[in-house]
Amino acid sequence: EKVALWRRFYTGFYDEKGNFIQKPLEQAATEVGIAKKTLDDYLLQIRCGKKYGFNFNENADKKIGELRGLVIGQWFSDCCDEGPNVLCDKLLANAAKLTSLKGLFVGDVVQEESEISWLHQCDYGPMLSALPQLADVVIRGGNNLRFSKFHSATIQSILIQSGGLGKAVLKDLWKAELPSLRVLRLWLGVDDYGGDTTVKDLAPILSGKLFPQLEYLGLQDCQYTDEIAKAVAKSPILERLKGLDLSMGTLSDEGAQA
Protein backbone atom coordinates (compact mmCIF):
# COMPACT_ATOMS: atom_id res chain seq x y z
CA GLU A 1 0.00 0.00 0.00
CA LYS A 2 2.80 2.43 0.87
CA VAL A 3 4.67 1.67 -2.35
CA ALA A 4 1.48 2.11 -4.39
CA LEU A 5 0.77 5.45 -2.69
CA TRP A 6 4.34 6.60 -3.32
CA ARG A 7 4.10 5.77 -7.03
CA ARG A 8 0.68 7.47 -7.22
CA PHE A 9 2.15 10.69 -5.85
CA TYR A 10 4.95 10.46 -8.43
CA THR A 11 2.89 9.54 -11.53
CA GLY A 12 0.25 12.07 -10.58
CA PHE A 13 -3.51 12.09 -9.94
CA TYR A 14 -6.49 14.45 -9.89
CA ASP A 15 -7.82 15.54 -6.53
CA GLU A 16 -11.46 16.10 -5.66
CA LYS A 17 -11.37 19.64 -7.06
CA GLY A 18 -9.96 18.50 -10.40
CA ASN A 19 -6.42 19.72 -9.75
CA PHE A 20 -3.61 17.53 -11.06
CA ILE A 21 -1.20 16.61 -8.25
CA GLN A 22 2.29 15.33 -8.99
CA LYS A 23 5.38 15.22 -6.76
CA PRO A 24 9.08 14.30 -7.20
CA LEU A 25 10.11 10.90 -5.88
CA GLU A 26 11.94 12.28 -2.84
CA GLN A 27 9.03 14.50 -1.86
CA ALA A 28 6.59 11.66 -2.46
CA ALA A 29 8.65 9.43 -0.15
CA THR A 30 8.52 12.11 2.54
CA GLU A 31 4.73 12.25 2.19
CA VAL A 32 4.51 8.48 2.59
CA GLY A 33 6.88 8.51 5.56
CA ILE A 34 9.38 5.94 4.25
CA ALA A 35 12.86 6.56 2.84
CA LYS A 36 13.07 6.57 -0.96
CA LYS A 37 15.83 3.94 -0.90
CA THR A 38 13.60 1.58 1.07
CA LEU A 39 10.66 2.19 -1.25
CA ASP A 40 12.91 1.52 -4.27
CA ASP A 41 13.93 -1.83 -2.74
CA TYR A 42 10.32 -2.78 -2.03
CA LEU A 43 9.26 -1.82 -5.55
CA LEU A 44 12.00 -3.98 -7.06
CA GLN A 45 10.90 -6.98 -5.01
CA ILE A 46 7.26 -6.46 -5.93
CA ARG A 47 8.08 -6.18 -9.64
CA CYS A 48 10.25 -9.32 -9.56
CA GLY A 49 7.53 -11.19 -7.70
CA LYS A 50 4.85 -10.20 -10.19
CA LYS A 51 7.14 -11.02 -13.13
CA TYR A 52 7.55 -14.61 -11.94
CA GLY A 53 3.96 -15.08 -10.81
CA PHE A 54 4.52 -14.93 -7.06
CA ASN A 55 1.29 -14.62 -5.07
CA PHE A 56 2.05 -12.25 -2.20
CA ASN A 57 -1.30 -12.76 -0.44
CA GLU A 58 -1.06 -16.55 -0.37
CA ASN A 59 2.54 -16.49 0.83
CA ALA A 60 2.30 -13.70 3.38
CA ASP A 61 4.53 -14.56 6.39
CA LYS A 62 5.03 -18.08 5.01
CA LYS A 63 8.83 -17.93 5.12
CA ILE A 64 9.30 -15.48 7.96
CA GLY A 65 10.58 -18.26 10.21
CA GLU A 66 13.51 -18.90 7.84
CA LEU A 67 14.90 -15.36 8.17
CA ARG A 68 18.39 -15.64 9.70
CA GLY A 69 19.62 -12.06 9.58
CA LEU A 70 17.85 -8.72 9.47
CA VAL A 71 19.42 -5.32 8.68
CA ILE A 72 17.32 -2.19 9.17
CA GLY A 73 18.57 0.95 7.48
CA GLN A 74 17.12 4.42 7.08
CA TRP A 75 13.67 4.32 8.70
CA PHE A 76 13.23 8.10 8.42
CA SER A 77 13.00 10.54 5.50
CA ASP A 78 15.19 13.65 5.50
CA CYS A 79 15.92 14.00 9.20
CA CYS A 80 15.99 11.42 11.97
CA ASP A 81 13.74 12.95 14.61
CA GLU A 82 12.29 9.72 15.98
CA GLY A 83 13.41 6.15 16.57
CA PRO A 84 12.29 2.97 14.78
CA ASN A 85 9.54 2.37 17.34
CA VAL A 86 7.02 1.16 14.76
CA LEU A 87 9.48 -1.36 13.33
CA CYS A 88 10.42 -2.63 16.78
CA ASP A 89 6.76 -3.02 17.72
CA LYS A 90 6.22 -5.11 14.58
CA LEU A 91 9.20 -7.31 15.38
CA LEU A 92 7.92 -7.76 18.92
CA ALA A 93 4.46 -8.70 17.65
CA ASN A 94 5.94 -11.30 15.27
CA ALA A 95 8.78 -12.53 17.50
CA ALA A 96 7.27 -16.00 17.88
CA LYS A 97 7.41 -16.47 14.10
CA LEU A 98 11.07 -15.43 13.83
CA THR A 99 12.36 -18.78 14.98
CA SER A 100 15.55 -18.69 12.88
CA LEU A 101 16.60 -15.06 13.33
CA LYS A 102 20.18 -15.05 14.61
CA GLY A 103 21.43 -11.57 13.75
CA LEU A 104 19.88 -8.10 14.00
CA PHE A 105 21.42 -4.77 12.96
CA VAL A 106 19.33 -1.64 13.50
CA GLY A 107 20.86 1.56 12.17
CA ASP A 108 22.59 0.68 8.90
CA VAL A 109 22.73 4.40 8.10
CA VAL A 110 25.70 6.01 6.36
CA GLN A 111 26.98 9.51 7.08
CA GLU A 112 25.32 10.95 3.97
CA GLU A 113 21.95 9.88 5.40
CA SER A 114 22.57 10.94 8.99
CA GLU A 115 25.41 11.53 11.43
CA ILE A 116 25.56 8.79 14.04
CA SER A 117 25.07 11.38 16.79
CA TRP A 118 21.75 12.44 15.24
CA LEU A 119 20.20 8.98 15.19
CA HIS A 120 17.28 8.46 17.52
CA GLN A 121 16.61 5.01 18.89
CA CYS A 122 14.08 3.40 21.23
CA ASP A 123 13.72 0.86 24.04
CA TYR A 124 14.96 -2.49 22.70
CA GLY A 125 14.58 -4.52 25.89
CA PRO A 126 11.16 -6.10 25.26
CA MET A 127 11.78 -6.83 21.58
CA LEU A 128 15.24 -8.37 21.99
CA SER A 129 14.00 -10.43 24.92
CA ALA A 130 11.19 -11.87 22.81
CA LEU A 131 13.27 -13.11 19.86
CA PRO A 132 13.80 -16.82 20.62
CA GLN A 133 17.11 -17.55 18.85
CA LEU A 134 18.79 -14.16 18.54
CA ALA A 135 22.58 -14.34 18.97
CA ASP A 136 24.15 -11.16 17.56
CA VAL A 137 22.90 -7.59 18.03
CA VAL A 138 24.19 -4.32 16.58
CA ILE A 139 22.53 -0.99 17.39
CA ARG A 140 23.76 2.28 15.88
CA GLY A 141 22.68 5.55 17.49
CA GLY A 142 22.32 6.55 21.13
CA ASN A 143 19.58 9.16 21.43
CA ASN A 144 16.65 7.81 23.52
CA LEU A 145 18.26 4.37 23.55
CA ARG A 146 17.17 2.05 26.36
CA PHE A 147 17.21 -1.68 27.24
CA SER A 148 14.57 -2.01 29.94
CA LYS A 149 13.72 -5.46 31.34
CA PHE A 150 16.29 -7.03 29.02
CA HIS A 151 16.86 -10.77 29.25
CA SER A 152 17.96 -13.39 26.76
CA ALA A 153 19.42 -16.88 27.08
CA THR A 154 20.72 -16.87 23.48
CA ILE A 155 22.36 -13.49 22.80
CA GLN A 156 26.14 -13.88 22.57
CA SER A 157 27.32 -10.58 21.10
CA ILE A 158 26.23 -6.95 21.49
CA LEU A 159 27.71 -3.91 19.75
CA ILE A 160 26.33 -0.43 20.46
CA GLN A 161 27.71 2.36 18.29
CA SER A 162 26.95 5.90 19.39
CA GLY A 163 28.28 9.43 19.41
CA GLY A 164 27.53 9.50 23.13
CA LEU A 165 26.13 6.77 25.36
CA GLY A 166 24.07 7.81 28.39
CA LYS A 167 24.31 6.49 31.93
CA ALA A 168 20.76 5.16 31.69
CA VAL A 169 21.82 2.77 28.92
CA LEU A 170 24.64 1.34 31.03
CA LYS A 171 22.34 0.91 34.01
CA ASP A 172 19.89 -1.02 31.83
CA LEU A 173 22.64 -3.27 30.52
CA TRP A 174 24.07 -3.99 33.98
CA LYS A 175 20.59 -5.12 35.09
CA ALA A 176 20.13 -7.37 32.06
CA GLU A 177 20.13 -11.16 32.36
CA LEU A 178 22.40 -12.39 29.56
CA PRO A 179 23.97 -15.70 30.62
CA SER A 180 25.36 -16.48 27.13
CA LEU A 181 26.89 -13.06 26.38
CA ARG A 182 30.51 -13.45 25.27
CA VAL A 183 31.20 -10.16 23.46
CA LEU A 184 30.18 -6.68 24.58
CA ARG A 185 31.38 -3.61 22.70
CA LEU A 186 30.25 -0.10 23.63
CA TRP A 187 31.07 3.17 21.87
CA LEU A 188 30.88 5.50 24.87
CA GLY A 189 31.34 8.72 22.88
CA VAL A 190 31.59 12.27 24.19
CA ASP A 191 29.47 14.53 26.39
CA ASP A 192 28.63 16.87 23.50
CA TYR A 193 26.46 14.07 22.08
CA GLY A 194 24.96 12.74 25.30
CA GLY A 195 27.87 10.66 26.55
CA ASP A 196 27.54 11.50 30.25
CA THR A 197 29.23 8.38 31.66
CA THR A 198 32.36 8.27 33.81
CA VAL A 199 34.68 5.45 34.72
CA LYS A 200 32.65 4.94 37.91
CA ASP A 201 29.66 3.92 35.78
CA LEU A 202 31.73 1.00 34.46
CA ALA A 203 32.36 -0.47 37.91
CA PRO A 204 29.62 -3.15 37.63
CA ILE A 205 31.05 -4.67 34.45
CA LEU A 206 34.66 -4.40 35.69
CA SER A 207 33.73 -6.21 38.90
CA GLY A 208 33.50 -9.48 36.96
CA LYS A 209 30.13 -10.29 38.55
CA LEU A 210 28.06 -9.71 35.41
CA PHE A 211 27.66 -11.96 32.35
CA PRO A 212 29.50 -15.14 33.37
CA GLN A 213 30.51 -16.05 29.80
CA LEU A 214 31.90 -12.62 28.85
CA GLU A 215 35.38 -12.90 27.35
CA TYR A 216 35.69 -9.90 25.04
CA LEU A 217 35.05 -6.34 26.20
CA GLY A 218 35.19 -3.19 24.09
CA LEU A 219 35.00 0.24 25.77
CA GLN A 220 35.66 2.33 22.70
CA ASP A 221 35.41 5.83 21.27
CA CYS A 222 35.79 7.32 24.74
CA GLN A 223 37.07 10.63 26.09
CA TYR A 224 38.46 9.10 29.31
CA THR A 225 40.28 6.04 27.97
CA ASP A 226 43.30 6.46 30.27
CA GLU A 227 41.03 6.21 33.30
CA ILE A 228 39.42 3.08 31.85
CA ALA A 229 42.82 1.48 31.24
CA LYS A 230 43.87 2.10 34.84
CA ALA A 231 40.58 0.73 36.19
CA VAL A 232 40.68 -2.38 33.99
CA ALA A 233 44.27 -3.14 35.02
CA LYS A 234 43.13 -3.46 38.64
CA SER A 235 39.74 -5.05 37.97
CA PRO A 236 38.62 -8.65 38.69
CA ILE A 237 37.29 -9.07 35.15
CA LEU A 238 40.75 -8.79 33.58
CA GLU A 239 41.79 -12.36 34.39
CA ARG A 240 38.98 -13.90 32.32
CA LEU A 241 39.08 -11.56 29.34
CA LYS A 242 40.54 -12.90 26.10
CA GLY A 243 40.21 -9.55 24.38
CA LEU A 244 40.05 -5.88 25.42
CA ASP A 245 39.38 -3.10 22.92
CA LEU A 246 40.04 0.53 23.90
CA SER A 247 40.35 1.81 20.33
CA MET A 248 39.13 5.12 18.88
CA GLY A 249 39.52 6.81 22.26
CA THR A 250 42.04 9.07 24.00
CA LEU A 251 44.53 6.43 25.11
CA SER A 252 47.95 7.95 25.87
CA ASP A 253 51.24 6.50 27.10
CA GLU A 254 49.98 6.92 30.66
CA GLY A 255 47.01 4.68 30.04
CA ALA A 256 48.98 2.15 27.99
CA GLN A 257 51.49 1.71 30.81
CA ALA A 258 48.74 0.91 33.30
Side-chain angles (χ1 to χ4, degrees):
E1 293 180 4
K2 292 286 188 179
V3 174
L5 180 59
W6 173 56
R7 298 301 296 179
R8 183 167 182 259
F9 277 136
Y10 173 64
T11 56
F13 62 94
Y14 288 95
D15 63 13
E16 296 177 353
K17 297 181 180 180
N19 299 315
F20 185 70
I21 307 298
Q22 188 176 30
K23 300 179 180 182
L25 286 173
E26 288 286 357
Q27 185 180 349
T30 301
E31 293 284 342
V32 172
I34 299 177
K36 176 181 174 297
K37 180 178 180 296
T38 301
L39 290 165
D40 280 332
D41 291 341
Y42 284 150
L43 180 60
L44 177 62
Q45 295 300 319
I46 291 172
R47 285 176 172 173
C48 287
K50 289 181 177 179
K51 179 180 179 180
Y52 294 103
F54 183 80
N55 190 312
F56 288 93
N57 291 326
E58 290 182 1
N59 293 279
D61 294 341
K62 186 175 180 180
K63 290 185 176 287
I64 192 171
E66 297 180 17
L67 182 67
R68 297 180 182 275
L70 178 61
V71 178
I72 298 175
Q74 186 179 353
W75 60 86
F76 49 90
S77 53
D78 295 330
C79 180
C80 183
D81 52 9
E82 61 181 20
N85 301 63
V86 174
L87 294 172
C88 286
D89 288 344
K90 289 182 178 180
L91 284 175
L92 177 58
N94 290 279
K97 301 176 184 178
L98 296 167
T99 55
S100 298
L101 186 64
K102 299 285 189 179
L104 176 65
F105 177 12
V106 183
D108 184 19
V109 178
V110 297
Q111 188 177 25
E112 288 74 12
E113 296 169 330
S114 175
E115 297 285 350
I116 189 173
S117 56
W118 300 346
L119 291 176
H120 286 257
Q121 285 292 353
C122 58
D123 186 352
Y124 284 90
M127 184 265 285
L128 295 179
S129 301
L131 293 169
Q133 296 298 326
L134 191 63
D136 301 302
V137 178
V138 179
I139 307 293
R140 181 175 294 163
N143 296 325
N144 303 318
L145 181 64
R146 295 299 300 268
F147 293 92
S148 67
K149 300 178 181 178
F150 184 20
H151 59 87
S152 171
T154 59
I155 291 179
Q156 299 180 28
S157 174
I158 296 176
L159 167 59
I160 302 176
Q161 301 175 332
S162 76
L165 208 58
K167 291 183 179 182
V169 178
L170 294 188
K171 289 180 180 179
D172 285 346
L173 290 174
W174 304 159
K175 294 177 183 178
E177 297 179 15
L178 305 169
S180 299
L181 187 67
R182 296 182 179 276
V183 177
L184 177 63
R185 292 181 289 168
L186 306 174
W187 291 16
L188 298 170
V190 298
D191 50 14
D192 287 343
Y193 299 126
D196 60 354
T197 64
T198 67
V199 69
K200 292 182 180 179
D201 298 306
L202 302 175
I205 189 66
L206 299 183
S207 71
K209 298 179 181 179
L210 304 179
F211 317 133
Q213 300 299 318
L214 189 68
E215 57 187 19
Y216 186 99
L217 179 63
L219 300 171
Q220 303 164 254
D221 187 30
C222 182
Q223 58 188 352
Y224 52 90
T225 309
D226 279 351
E227 295 180 53
I228 292 178
K230 294 176 184 178
V232 171
K234 301 176 182 179
S235 69
I237 198 174
L238 184 61
E239 62 183 24
R240 66 180 172 95
L241 288 180
K242 295 181 180 179
L244 175 66
D245 191 343
L246 303 180
S247 63
M248 301 185 294
T250 58
L251 185 67
S252 68
D253 290 344
E254 181 181 355
Q257 291 171 1

